[in-house]
Amino acid sequence: MRASRFWAARLLAMALLCAALTPLVLADDQTDDGATDSTAAAGAAATAPPAAPRRAPVIQLRPQDSWVLEVCALTFLATFLANLFIGRRRNEQLALAWTSELVAADGVLDRNFSLLGPGDTAAGEVLLKDSMHCYKFWASGRRFCKGMLATFNLVRRQDLLAWAVMALRGQKDVLELEVRVNEGAMPPLALVIAQPAIAREMQQDSADVKALCKRLEPTRDRIAQWPERLTVLAEHSSIFYDLMTPQLLDLAFGREAFQALRPYLRYLHVTSEAPEGPHSHVVRLSFALPPPGDTATLNKLLVLALLLVDLLGSYKLSPEQEKRAREARQKREAAEAKQGGGGQADERARRAEERRLAKLEAEKERLRRLPPDQREKELERKQKIQMRRQMAKFAKKG
């Protein structure tokens, strides 16, 4: 019994030993096989001829099929830059040429205004450049008005695309005259005489025309020679007929006289309620510039604006007209307050402040032009007036 147990234990120990040694034998066999394979590969590499060295890949660009797009882009850019230079020079030449006509000795403006130009620049500098297509000219020193601002709104020749669009539309060079009338020299009124298309635009865009004016058809018994296709927008028909004097009809608005001005006149706007700008009482005349050298047409249009200023300076409304004008403006203010309230009130306050500042600037300019002794006397007089006003305020408080 003891011998059988001994042999059973011995057999179990031998079985366990064989199981432990079997993976090592297999691993040795695999290692030997790998070594044999690597040795064979090394021998084959040693006997094979040497491989040729690898070259870097050659990168080639596909040749350009066409350069049309690039050539067109460069051509357009060159044309745009050349047009910018040429158009700017052309507008400058036109503005200088027409300004020379305006300031000519013994011309219309020279006879009517005492100062041509802003007055604070070097001698001969009367034209101010606002942009490449906008130039301004100022004249002052005339009765019934603070001055006249002439604005050249020329075709945008410096902008190739804008120039092409304006050429297709038939747009022309325009001169706009704005005579800033003294408030005491113009009664409350609004009047527009314009080409039909421009009159429709002003009815939609201009606040005073939209609120105060209505279309008027001049009757043949009052003005027999009124031209066709000329729209009238007036606050009252009586104002229109009063201002259309025989002198004004013979100059511009008679049928025969207007034939010469029809290609040029765009609109005439007379208002005491100008919706934009620091001045509320203005006479605006806009017309296309006549051909170079046509000073007769230019002078006729200048005389038209100045003659209308003289007519307004001596024109008075009847009590009934003043009452209707006051009621119309009160109705307009009430409608604005009902619609927007604060917006319109702020706008009126802003315009009033702009007018006040403009008056202060004009007074400073007037004092600057006075001789030193007169300037001192004027300043002393103003100081005395200011002191009296302050004393009156203190007296009221007390």
Side-chain angles (χ1 to χ4, degrees), residues 158-340:
Q158 79 282 357
D159 189 339
L160 184 61
L161 298 179
W163 182 35
V165 172
M166 290 180 177
L168 292 175
R169 293 181 177 179
Q171 191 166 343
K172 300 179 181 179
D173 298 319
V174 174
L175 176 59
E176 295 183 352
L177 304 178
E178 182 182 280
V179 184
R180 298 172 178 177
V181 185
N182 296 328
E183 294 184 4
M186 178 188 290
L189 59 88
L191 173 66
V192 172
I193 302 175
Q195 299 287 352
I198 299 177
R200 288 192 295 269
E201 292 179 1
M202 295 182 71
Q203 276 185 306
Q204 298 176 357
D205 300 336
S206 185
D208 62 324
V209 178
K210 184 177 180 180
L212 301 174
C213 294
K214 57 185 177 180
R215 182 162 182 173
L216 172 66
E217 294 291 344
T219 58
R220 297 299 177 184
D221 58 336
R222 301 289 299 271
I223 303 178
Q225 299 296 323
W226 184 257
E228 298 178 354
R229 295 189 57 79
L230 191 60
T231 303
V232 178
L233 304 173
E235 185 174 357
H236 304 297
S237 59
S238 57
I239 294 176
F240 167 72
Y241 289 119
D242 292 342
L243 293 178
M244 288 297 109
T245 61
Q247 187 179 5
L248 200 61
L249 292 173
D250 293 338
L251 177 65
F253 293 115
R255 184 174 300 175
E256 296 181 359
F258 186 70
Q259 292 301 321
L261 299 180
R262 184 183 295 275
Y264 310 110
L265 182 65
R266 300 179 68 242
Y267 67 84
L268 173 65
H269 185 195
V270 183
T271 181
S272 60
E273 309 291 332
E276 67 276 349
H279 300 276
S280 58
H281 295 62
V282 297
V283 174
R284 291 176 178 148
L285 179 64
S286 177
F287 56 90
L289 285 172
D294 189 0
T295 55
T297 301
L298 178 64
N299 291 337
K300 187 178 295 186
L301 292 166
L302 294 174
V303 171
L304 170 61
L306 299 178
L307 176 60
L308 193 55
V309 171
D310 291 338
L311 292 174
L312 291 170
S314 58
Y315 179 67
K316 302 297 182 182
L317 295 178
S318 65
E320 180 64 23
Q321 290 174 337
E322 289 183 355
K323 180 181 177 182
R324 293 174 63 182
R326 185 169 57 254
E327 290 176 352
R329 281 149 182 78
Q330 291 176 354
K331 184 178 179 181
R332 176 191 176 188
E333 292 178 358
E336 290 178 352
K338 184 177 180 180
Q339 290 178 359

Side-chain angles (χ1 to χ4, degrees), residues 42-204:
T47 57
R54 297 182 62 185
R55 294 185 300 172
V58 178
I59 301 175
Q60 294 182 350
L61 293 177
R62 182 180 178 184
Q64 183 75 18
D65 295 335
S66 175
W67 294 89
V68 174
L69 184 61
E70 287 78 2
V71 171
C72 291
L74 292 176
T75 302
F76 176 79
L77 181 60
T79 305
F80 187 88
L81 295 176
N83 182 79
L84 175 64
F85 177 76
I86 297 172
R88 178 179 62 84
R89 291 292 303 273
R90 177 58 178 164
N91 281 346
E92 287 181 357
Q93 292 173 358
L94 285 174
L96 290 173
W98 282 113
T99 304
S100 299
E101 295 289 341
L102 291 176
V103 301
D106 200 28
V108 174
L109 298 186
D110 186 49
R111 296 194 303 267
N112 283 272
F113 292 94
S114 60
L115 178 63
L116 301 179
D120 55 354
T121 58
E125 294 182 1
V126 298
L127 187 65
L128 302 178
K129 182 178 180 181
D130 194 47
S131 65
M132 292 186 185
H133 62 278
C134 182
Y135 297 82
K136 295 184 177 182
F137 167 78
W138 175 257
S140 60
R142 190 182 189 277
R143 64 174 183 171
F144 302 136
C145 65
K146 300 176 182 179
M148 184 190 73
L149 179 65
T151 303
F152 291 94
N153 285 322
L154 305 178
V155 175
R156 298 185 180 183
R157 294 178 175 87
Q158 79 282 357
D159 189 339
L160 184 61
L161 298 179
W163 182 35
V165 172
M166 290 180 177
L168 292 175
R169 293 181 177 179
Q171 191 166 343
K172 300 179 181 179
D173 298 319
V174 174
L175 176 59
E176 295 183 352
L177 304 178
E178 182 182 280
V179 184
R180 298 172 178 177
V181 185
N182 296 328
E183 294 184 4
M186 178 188 290
L189 59 88
L191 173 66
V192 172
I193 302 175
Q195 299 287 352
I198 299 177
R200 288 192 295 269
E201 292 179 1
M202 295 182 71
Q203 276 185 306
Q204 298 176 357

